[in-house]
């Protein structure tokens, strides 16, 4: 990266409108910052533009002066010089109503937030209300407001990956993307969905269950397909052996309710349900209770996620597959920060290679199975 | 606003690094957009830079071509020319863990999201992990990535209002700010907290309750102070008459638990509790159940918010003060959009004056009182 040693904006367009508030309020100058910090104007400028080559205690003095004076560099000039915003976009490819009702996303965002906050990088959550909003998200990303993006819960037809790829924006995905040639698959953090589902299926077999139904997630997401594949590692002919034992859900509690109702209508003799998220399992438990079926005596239930609320507050408490959701968020953020360090400074943290990560899954047995 | 009719970037600095991916991928040009849309390059440029003076059906053709080709204007050049980002920041001045655990914020964000989405304006949620992050939020706002901001759940010591005021950034607050001289108070959307609390107090009096405890919100927020004032409209000597009947809470369920425990320890003879949020009321209900006190026979409970989940799922269902939270979010977004229209185009929507709004509150009586 080239860092100019001054911010006199020799090339800023004369026709550009002033930044917000610049004319009216007598905005503090870089010269004043330098004077207050007791450093040269050139040093103050270097700190304002990233701090390369300036010792840490000098940087601290300048940053303190910047804060005290409320100094704001000319935004456009700073952007053109440094290209670094110390901000990362997060896109959860679901309507905001789901982002706020599924504890999975809150946990993942908590991990991301902690890691970014520790690095003094702003978390910019881009919310969408409906599918038409992705073009708008793409425009925001294209306009250069962030250094990179974390994208998760992608469905197959989402246009974002093509947009960010075209932009060359550094991205880490949550969940394995299903595109990319070997060697060019984008960076991602995933969990061992297949292994987790296999453990759930083996557990139900060990409990003597034989008529096991599956409520999958949306099958246009790799996590859902992987969990179904893990179940099929134990039951290779599923669902051909009995198509009535499979219903595609949507990872929500109402979706779990609807799926359980359909399963019981079609297969009243089922003796177990593997619901591929805890929220869907919670919906299924409600239907089983309404129909007077005892859990686990009549029907064993296994969920997925070990969500803070859904699994542990369920009645009875839910056997489930634990994934460390907050840690996955943390790892996504760390991977992107390393990628950005490489981009801007040319030196990634040596301890952290730039490779995708798959975190383990673990069966947690509680009273529902 | 001055709109240049061309984007040849006559004044872009020669030393500026290229935008992301611009060199490598043979990015589509404005000339190609114009050709595909069947318009002149100058017209295409005007549309890309906001569309001023171009008829709507022509704008639509150009936008279609932009989308088909994946055309991305040079971000810095576009910023310098138009200053408009079609993006609005939302800052909930609470740690992200609270943003995701309190349904109030989800409802408010839903209203904001719907209004912004309909206007094709991106909702940029800036999350904070702890109080130190506000300087970082301020830097993001100062760097010109958004056209304006919606800020809510402000506490008295938060540095954001001073920062955004210095920047001249258009802002609408959720909840009445407590600063500002008459005539210069910032725009806000609030609800009639005082009237709502007064109705709750009158209801408890009508039910024959005499030893009424109050769990307030944080008293460094105007909403909390206003609700206490409403209660005092009915009990003017409260809490001096009996200081043991007042505990300051924090709007969370665990905070409501702790407050209820203290109240019962200090005033075992209380016969009602007015908790200034439904989440705190839910925490209070749990403590009352644990101590074998019947609701409402022994202790009547009234909450505040009529939250989707906390009030309606409570056992027994909660008497509460309803405020239309989603509508408040919608109104905040609408007010800011009108303010921005005035800023950028000089013509606010005539039907919507730029004045602060206070929405009504309404007592909803359920079984807890």
């Amino acid at each position: 990266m080239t860092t100019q040693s001054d911010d006199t904006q020799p090339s800023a367009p004369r026709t550009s409108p002033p930044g917000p508030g610049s004319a009216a309020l007598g905005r503090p100058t870089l010269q004043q910052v330098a004077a207050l910090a007791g450093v040269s104007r050139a040093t103050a400028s270097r700190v304002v533009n990233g701090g390369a080559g300036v010792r840490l205690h000098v940087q601290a003095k300048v940053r303190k002066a910047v804060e005290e004076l409320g100094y704001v560099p000319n935004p456009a000039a700073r952007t053109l010089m440094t290209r670094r915003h110390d901000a990362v976009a997060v896109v959860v490819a679901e309507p905001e109503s789901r982002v706020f009702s599924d504890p999975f996303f809150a946990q993942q965002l908590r991990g991301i937030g902690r890691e970014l906050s520790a690095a003094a990088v702003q978390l910019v959550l881009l919310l969408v209300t409906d599918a038409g909003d992705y073009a708008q998200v793409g425009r925001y990303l294209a306009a250069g407001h962030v250094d990179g993006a974390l994208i998760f819960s992608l469905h197959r037809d989402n246009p974002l990956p093509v947009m960010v790829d075209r932009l060359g924006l550094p991205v880490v995905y949550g969940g394995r993307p299903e595109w990319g040639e070997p060697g060019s698959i984008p960076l991602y953090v995933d969990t061992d969905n297949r292994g987790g589902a296999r453990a759930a299926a083996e557990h139900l077999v060990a409990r003597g269950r034989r008529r096991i139904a599956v409520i999958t997630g949306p099958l246009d997401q790799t996590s859902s397909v992987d969990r179904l594949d893990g179940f099929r590692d134990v039951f290779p002919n599923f669902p051909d052996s009995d198509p009535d034992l499979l219903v595609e859900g949507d990872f929500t509690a109402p979706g779990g309710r609807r799926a359980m109702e359909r399963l019981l209508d079609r297969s009243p003799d089922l003796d177990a349900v593997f619901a591929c998220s805890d929220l869907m399992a919670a919906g299924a438990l409600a239907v089983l209770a309404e129909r007077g079926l005892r859990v686990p005596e009549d029907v064993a239930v296994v969920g997925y996620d070990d969500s803070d609320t859904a699994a542990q507050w369920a009645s009875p408490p839910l056997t489930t597959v634990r994934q460390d959701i907050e840690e996955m968020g943390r790892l996504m953020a760390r991977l992107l920060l390393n990628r950005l360090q490489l981009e801007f400074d040319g030196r990634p943290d040596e301890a952290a290679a730039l490779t995708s990560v798959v975190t383990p899954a673990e069966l947690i047995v509680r009273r529902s199975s």
Side-chain angles (χ1 to χ4, degrees), chain A:
Chain A
M1 191 187 75
T2 311
T3 308
Q4 298 191 345
S5 64
D6 207 327
D7 73 342
T8 46
Q9 312 157 23
S11 43
R14 277 180 207 87
T15 54
S16 70
S22 60
L25 294 162
R27 209 160 63 168
T29 64
L30 188 62
Q31 189 64 53
Q32 291 171 298
V33 170
L36 182 59
V39 302
S40 72
R41 194 171 178 291
T43 298
S45 173
R46 271 200 294 278
V47 174
V48 167
N49 290 301
V54 180
R55 274 173 302 171
L56 285 178
H57 76 276
V58 178
Q59 289 194 35
K61 279 199 293 189
V62 175
R63 295 223 160 89
K64 189 151 168 286
V66 163
E67 206 153 308
E68 249 177 82
L69 291 173
Y71 173 78
V72 179
N74 178 307
R78 181 168 189 273
T79 300
L80 289 169
M81 273 193 292
T82 70
R83 293 175 55 211
R84 185 153 197 172
H85 303 287
D86 293 323
V88 162
V90 175
V91 186
V92 184
E94 304 283 354
E96 52 78 24
S97 54
R98 251 207 81 201
V99 176
F100 281 92
S101 61
D102 189 334
F104 180 93
F105 300 123
Q107 285 174 257
Q108 197 141 23
L109 280 162
R110 191 176 313 148
I112 292 170
R114 289 196 175 151
E115 194 73 16
L116 294 183
S117 173
V121 168
Q122 180 60 48
L123 194 172
V124 174
L125 181 60
L126 301 180
L127 290 173
V128 298
T129 291
D130 58 49
D133 291 346
Y134 288 107
Q136 178 184 301
V137 168
R139 279 195 295 275
Y140 195 79
L141 295 176
H145 299 302
V146 292
D147 302 321
L150 300 170
I151 300 179
F152 54 97
S153 203
L154 268 183
H155 296 255
R156 188 178 294 139
D157 58 356
N158 194 296
L160 274 181
V162 174
M163 294 186 206
V164 297
D165 195 49
R166 188 183 283 149
L167 291 169
L169 190 73
V171 173
V172 174
Y173 290 93
R176 189 186 77 255
E178 60 174 353
W179 62 92
E181 300 299 310
S184 75
I185 295 174
L187 281 176
Y188 64 87
V189 172
D190 204 354
T191 176
D192 182 10
N193 288 300
R194 185 164 183 160
R198 192 188 307 123
E202 284 165 349
H203 165 74
L204 288 169
V205 169
R207 287 284 201 256
R209 307 296 162 144
R210 291 297 173 263
R211 296 276 298 154
I212 306 173
V214 178
I215 305 174
T216 70
L219 291 171
D220 62 351
Q221 295 190 301
T222 56
S223 58
S224 301
V225 173
D226 289 354
R227 289 175 199 175
L228 182 55
D229 283 346
F231 186 84
R232 293 169 64 173
D233 287 343
V234 180
F235 296 96
N237 297 322
F238 186 87
D240 297 340
S241 51
D242 193 342
D244 283 349
L245 287 176
L246 181 135
V247 172
E248 181 176 351
D250 60 1
F251 283 145
T252 74
R257 280 193 68 94
R258 286 191 297 273
M260 191 73 241
E261 280 164 356
R262 279 181 64 194
L263 286 169
L264 286 173
D265 292 344
R266 300 192 313 198
S267 309
D269 61 335
L270 59 83
D271 60 12
V273 182
F274 172 40
C276 290
S277 81
D278 289 341
L279 283 183
M280 294 197 298
L285 284 173
V287 171
L288 291 167
E290 283 165 20
R291 300 215 181 176
L293 292 162
R294 294 164 306 162
V295 176
E297 294 82 352
D298 300 320
V299 179
V301 178
V302 176
Y304 205 107
D305 286 338
D306 198 28
S307 133
D308 281 348
T309 44
Q312 293 162 35
W313 292 8
S315 172
L318 199 59
T319 294
T320 188
V321 179
R322 178 167 201 274
Q323 44 180 339
D324 191 337
I325 300 168
E326 184 171 333
E327 173 72 1
M328 286 164 66
R330 212 189 58 72
L331 288 169
M332 283 175 71
R334 175 47 38 203
L335 204 50
L336 183 60
L337 290 173
N338 289 341
R339 168 85 174 70
L340 294 175
Q341 202 172 12
L342 181 66
E343 173 114 349
F344 288 105
D345 305 342
R347 49 180 176 84
D349 187 315
E350 298 192 27
L354 285 179
T355 53
S356 295
V357 181
V358 178
T359 65
E362 179 192 5
L363 186 76
I364 307 286
V365 179
R366 297 199 184 93
R367 289 197 7 246
S368 70
S369 67

